[in-house]
Amino acid sequence: MEGNFIGKEDYKQHFAPKDYIKTYYSLSSDCYAENTILTFSLKNLHRAFVSGGIKGDTLIDIGSGPTIYQFLSACESFREIIATDYTDQNREEMQRWLRKEPGAFDWSSVVKYACELEGDREKWIEKEEKVRRTIKQVLKCDLTQANPLAPLELPPADCVLSLLCLESACEDLPTYCSALKNISSLVKPGGHLLLVTSLEATFYMVGQNRFFCLYLEQETVDDAVRGAGFDIVWTDLNRVSYSLDVSNNRGMYVLVAQKRQ
């Protein structure tokens, strides 16, 4: 059965950050599919920011959720990172890790993997501290607004990152295309957009709660990105799927694009 669209208020009430992190980001031995998807994302983030030379002063992450894995490579290439999310509980969960509070999620296994990609697994503590120093703000965002960070007016960023956000925040394709255009307003001309998308899914689970996911194919994502004013630089498609009780996706898609001058 397909999930029904969960509106913004439902996310505020029903989205449990700790359940989400434990399901998708634990790197535990009994979660092969979820591990494969996480490492696929980490390898592509390393490719973009460490090997690929995407760098600058500011990176904005749209829909950060309660996670920090997306910053492990980016912190090497940007002077400041601005994390954003719609829900208070996700922003608070991230802040809990940033402040090293008791009960914060232990990201060490994921951090060690990212460090291994850079050639030194043992520098993971240093990496965590660098992420903490580089995240300068954790802000509220709303993709349905022309300026997703309103009422704040920030200078356009060198790069905008968004992982597994738009397909869960957008009810239909017109909303998705509009959200990409809203995101485009945050990127300076010549700057980059990096998306990680769950393809051909209609739902994903967080604890016992089933959340809507917009069904997207690779070509649909490509067309929407071009329509938002970007040229695609490179992509990576992996037909790996989550465990069936977690989501019904049929692949993961990474896209890097550059905003037209």
Side-chain angles (χ1 to χ4, degrees):
M1 183 178 72
E2 294 188 1
N4 294 317
F5 178 68
I6 303 294
K8 290 183 285 189
E9 294 306 311
D10 294 300
Y11 265 88
K12 283 184 176 181
Q13 294 179 34
H14 301 298
F15 193 92
K18 279 192 166 57
D19 287 343
Y20 175 71
I21 299 174
K22 288 175 183 176
T23 299
Y24 296 97
Y25 303 104
S26 290
L27 273 185
S28 61
S29 57
D30 58 346
C31 297
Y32 174 80
E34 287 69 49
N35 293 353
T36 301
I37 289 171
L38 175 57
T39 56
F40 171 72
S41 296
L42 290 168
K43 288 173 183 175
N44 276 286
L45 290 164
H46 177 269
R47 174 185 175 186
F49 297 125
V50 179
S51 304
I54 297 177
K55 58 185 178 180
D57 289 327
T58 304
L59 177 142
I60 299 174
D61 182 38
I62 295 295
S64 304
T67 67
I68 57 92
Y69 74 101
Q70 64 270 39
F71 307 131
L72 298 173
S73 293
C75 73
E76 304 295 335
S77 300
F78 292 89
R79 183 177 56 82
E80 67 169 3
I81 291 171
I82 298 170
T84 75
D85 199 76
Y86 182 76
T87 67
D88 296 341
Q89 65 266 33
N90 279 342
R91 297 195 305 276
E92 180 54 37
E93 185 65 33
M94 182 184 293
Q95 293 278 20
R96 194 170 287 121
W97 182 84
L98 292 172
R99 296 189 295 253
K100 302 184 185 180
E101 291 184 2
F105 184 74
D106 179 5
W107 286 97
S108 59
S109 62
V110 179
V111 179
K112 288 174 183 177
Y113 183 87
C115 290
E116 191 174 313
L117 293 174
E118 295 175 12
D120 187 0
R121 183 180 177 87
E122 298 309 311
K123 69 173 185 178
W124 68 273
I125 295 176
E126 176 187 332
K127 171 73 80 174
E128 286 194 341
E129 292 310 308
K130 189 164 189 176
V131 172
R132 289 186 172 101
R133 290 194 307 271
T134 309
I135 297 175
K136 304 297 186 184
Q137 300 182 79
V138 180
L139 304 176
K140 183 167 184 174
C141 74
D142 184 346
L143 288 172
T144 64
Q145 304 299 310
N147 170 15
L149 304 180
L152 294 179
E153 292 280 352
L154 298 184
D158 300 285
C159 182
V160 167
L161 178 66
S162 190
L163 290 79
L164 306 175
C165 171
L166 276 80
E167 59 268 38
S168 58
C170 298
E171 184 174 12
D172 51 33
L173 187 55
T175 307
Y176 180 83
C177 293
S178 177
L180 273 172
K181 291 175 181 175
N182 296 339
I183 288 174
S184 177
S185 71
L186 303 175
V187 186
K188 64 174 58 172
H192 287 86
L193 171 71
L194 192 156
L195 296 178
V196 177
T197 304
S198 179
L199 292 181
E200 300 175 32
T202 60
F203 77 91
Y204 71 104
M205 300 296 296
V206 179
Q208 298 302 309
N209 291 317
R210 184 182 177 109
F211 289 87
F212 170 88
C213 198
L214 179 64
Y215 183 95
L216 293 170
E217 297 178 342
Q218 176 183 345
E219 296 78 9
T220 311
V221 176
D222 292 350
D223 289 345
V225 167
R226 292 189 185 102
F230 294 90
D231 294 319
I232 295 171
V233 178
W234 59 263
T235 65
D236 192 7
L237 171 65
N238 189 332
R239 282 296 176 185
V240 64
S241 300
Y242 286 113
S243 305
L244 287 176
D245 59 341
V246 167
S247 181
N248 63 344
N249 75 310
R250 297 176 184 171
M252 300 299 295
Y253 187 48
V254 177
L255 178 149
V256 172
Q258 188 169 28
K259 189 172 178 179
R260 298 184 194 113
Q261 297 279 357

